[in-house]
Amino acid sequence: MQLGASDLPGLRSSELGRAAKQSLASGDFAEAIRAKQAKDIAERLLLAKDEELARAVVKGASKLEEQSSIVWELANNFYLISRKKQILLVERFVKGFAALPAAEQAKGMLSLAPRVRAARRGWSQDSFMAEVKKKREKKSSRGREGAAAADEAGLTLPLASLVGARGRREADVHIVRFLDAIDASLRRMAEEDRARLFQ
């Protein structure tokens, strides 16, 4: 269903979702439409069995040239989906992928893994670890109790870029754009939400 800005006010609150309502309240109709579409996609995927959900995601990921696919929608707008649905999507994808026949898993991995590996080339662990060190020093400057409390609260490491410097120049443009979209969406999430998702 294609939505326009004029369609949003006529929808019931339960049809919009929290992110769409917030965007609508602030006057950002474009983001409200994206949030509503992301909510609808998440709900549609969650109605499927785990294996079917995994198949849909793997199929979309193997055709990154089609930027209107379900995986592109998820990559661009994941941060607009409710926390509960984010976690359910990840958990059910993992379970569904694990339940697929080995040949189907291998086919899915072979269509994506080499492209991701090429895009990751030149990723600097040194600069990432420097960021980690800075963050740890900041936590320890609060004293032992502060650092322990921060650890218990589940504070995470900084989010490293998914694309390496060399990969950005050499890998195919579709995988670079896709990983950049995931990266941008994850960065728009609160740090504690990323930690919860990771767990």
Side-chain angles (χ1 to χ4, degrees):
M1 172 177 148
Q2 285 296 333
L3 288 172
S6 60
D7 299 317
L8 291 173
L11 295 173
R12 291 191 309 272
S13 182
S14 61
E15 291 177 301
L16 284 172
R18 186 176 55 84
K21 284 186 278 190
Q22 288 174 342
S23 299
L24 198 56
S26 68
D28 189 344
F29 290 102
E31 183 155 300
I33 290 169
R34 286 196 310 274
K36 169 68 172 119
Q37 289 170 336
K39 175 183 176 287
D40 291 347
I41 286 170
E43 288 173 351
R44 195 167 66 242
L45 282 171
L46 291 171
L47 286 175
K49 292 180 179 175
D50 294 352
E51 294 90 342
E52 293 310 311
L53 185 156
R55 279 191 182 103
V57 172
V58 168
K59 182 181 176 183
S62 69
K63 298 177 180 178
L64 291 179
E65 295 74 17
E66 298 172 16
Q67 293 191 16
S68 60
S69 74
I70 212 164
V71 292
W72 274 99
E73 288 285 342
L74 288 174
N76 285 315
N77 301 313
F78 194 74
Y79 71 99
L80 293 169
I81 300 170
S82 72
R83 292 173 186 165
K84 183 179 178 181
K85 286 186 179 78
Q86 288 172 345
I87 290 167
L88 278 172
L89 282 169
V90 172
E91 285 178 349
R92 292 194 48 208
F93 169 77
V94 171
K95 287 178 187 171
F97 190 78
L100 293 177
E104 207 172 334
Q105 289 179 0
K107 185 179 176 184
M109 292 302 290
L110 285 172
S111 71
L112 193 60
R115 296 172 82 180
V116 171
R117 188 170 44 247
R120 296 281 289 163
R121 286 187 192 128
W123 179 78
S124 171
Q125 187 168 359
D126 292 340
S127 63
F128 176 67
M129 291 313 291
E131 248 186 285
V132 170
K133 186 178 176 186
K134 267 195 259 178
K135 188 160 190 176
R136 285 190 179 143
E137 286 169 359
K138 186 177 177 184
K139 281 200 310 192
S140 65
S141 69
R142 299 179 195 149
R144 279 189 153 169
E145 290 175 9
D151 285 338
E152 284 175 21
L155 294 180
T156 59
L157 298 175
L159 182 63
S161 173
L162 298 175
V163 179
R166 187 172 154 206
R168 190 165 297 284
R169 293 188 309 269
E170 298 175 1
D172 79 82
V173 69
H174 300 293
I175 192 68
V176 170
R177 286 183 184 156
F178 181 69
L179 292 175
D180 281 345
I182 293 172
D183 186 58
S185 195
L186 289 174
R187 286 179 192 282
R188 292 186 75 169
M189 292 171 66
E191 189 176 25
E192 59 271 17
D193 289 344
R194 290 199 307 263
R196 189 180 292 112
L197 192 63
F198 178 75
Q199 289 167 358

